Amino acid sequence: MTYQDKKVITIGLVSELTGLSIRQIRYYEQRKLIFPERTKGGTRKYSFSDIEKLIQISEHMEDGLQTFEIRQLQKKNMAASYRGLTST
Amino acid sequence: MTYQDKKVITIGLVSELTGLSIRQIRYYEQRKLIFPERTKGGTRKYSFSDIEKLIQISEHMEDGLQTFEIRQLQKKNMAASYRGLTST
DNA sequence: CGTGTAAGGAATTCTGACACG
DNA sequence: CGTGTAAGGAATTCTGACACG
């Protein structure tokens, strides 16, 4: 709830925790699927929510979806949960 | 519960979040007050629980306690919570 | 005792690009 | 389109030590 969304994890750890390569994680950011924060120095910081999101993303990728399609799905889910439907 | 205790935060972030210097954080580890994990490379990783602990530690230090006294307090609290008393 | 700091090195991350497909 | 990689640089962290008190 409070810790879940705090952006504090470095990309190396995220890579370990998700099984994705650092390259993939950066790419998904470029494609607007995740939104890490940055330290003053420019180092990316992720939250546990980001990690869960990334795991979902990797599942969608395995299903053959393209990044823009996954982005569409995210929008739909956001709209749905806004209406009190599927959360996750 | 699950995220609270995952060791994933680098010492620089911990320093920012607690207001303590990196030097202090490392010292409190040396004095057995906190127990970060390490990456393969040797970089320390802390949990949100560690951050809460550190904040408590800094309060005790301000109260003039010495590190070994704080360690005693930690033990007492652990024993108490084990008996179902004060948790935190 | 608790903490600051300069020192030298190692690990981590960053960006932009070339490559493949 | 999605991902790997070599390249060069910058930010982050590590340890052991000297200093002060």
Side-chain angles (χ1 to χ4, degrees):
Chain A
M1 188 123 280
T2 170
Y3 294 131
Q4 178 128 0
D5 296 313
K6 269 241 161 196
K7 309 269 186 175
V8 295
I9 314 175
T10 53
I11 199 166
L13 249 298
V14 174
S15 174
E16 279 186 30
L17 295 172
T18 61
L20 294 169
S21 70
I22 291 181
R23 178 65 158 104
Q24 289 174 305
I25 297 168
R26 292 202 191 111
Y27 181 67
Y28 297 153
E29 173 185 2
Q30 182 191 323
R31 299 315 312 277
K32 309 289 183 189
L33 298 181
I34 47 174
F35 306 90
E37 292 181 359
R38 300 271 186 150
T39 64
K40 311 82 213 297
T43 302
R44 272 170 270 245
K45 299 177 298 181
Y46 301 82
S47 67
F48 285 110
S49 293
D50 289 330
I51 290 177
E52 294 183 354
K53 247 188 203 171
L54 282 167
I55 291 174
Q56 287 185 33
I57 291 171
S58 69
E59 290 171 351
H60 288 317
M61 292 300 290
E62 285 177 2
D63 291 344
L65 296 192
Q66 293 194 306
T67 56
F68 82 92
E69 298 177 299
I70 298 174
R71 199 181 321 129
Q72 299 307 316
L73 277 180
Q74 287 186 351
K75 284 186 186 176
K76 288 192 181 177
N77 288 334
M78 281 205 286
S81 66
Y82 177 72
R83 277 181 267 107
L85 304 177
T86 42
S87 55
T88 296
Chain B
M1 190 123 276
T2 170
Y3 294 132
Q4 178 128 359
D5 297 313
K6 268 240 161 197
K7 311 266 185 176
V8 295
I9 315 177
T10 54
I11 198 166
L13 248 299
V14 174
S15 174
E16 278 187 29
L17 295 172
T18 61
L20 294 170
S21 69
I22 290 180
R23 178 66 157 103
Q24 290 176 305
I25 297 169
R26 291 202 191 111
Y27 182 66
Y28 298 153
E29 173 186 2
Q30 182 190 323
R31 299 315 312 275
K32 308 290 183 188
L33 298 181
I34 48 174
F35 306 90
E37 291 180 359
R38 301 271 186 149
T39 64
K40 311 81 215 294
T43 302
R44 272 169 269 245
K45 299 178 296 179
Y46 302 81
S47 67
F48 285 109
S49 294
D50 289 330
I51 289 177
E52 294 182 354
K53 245 189 204 171
L54 282 168
I55 291 174
Q56 286 184 35
I57 291 171
S58 68
E59 290 170 352
H60 287 318
M61 292 299 291
E62 286 175 3
D63 292 343
L65 296 192
Q66 293 194 310
T67 55
F68 81 90
E69 298 177 298
I70 297 173
R71 199 181 321 128
Q72 298 308 316
L73 278 180
Q74 286 185 352
K75 284 186 188 176
K76 288 193 182 178
N77 289 333
M78 280 204 288
S81 67
Y82 177 73
R83 277 182 267 109
L85 305 176
T86 42
S87 55
T88 294

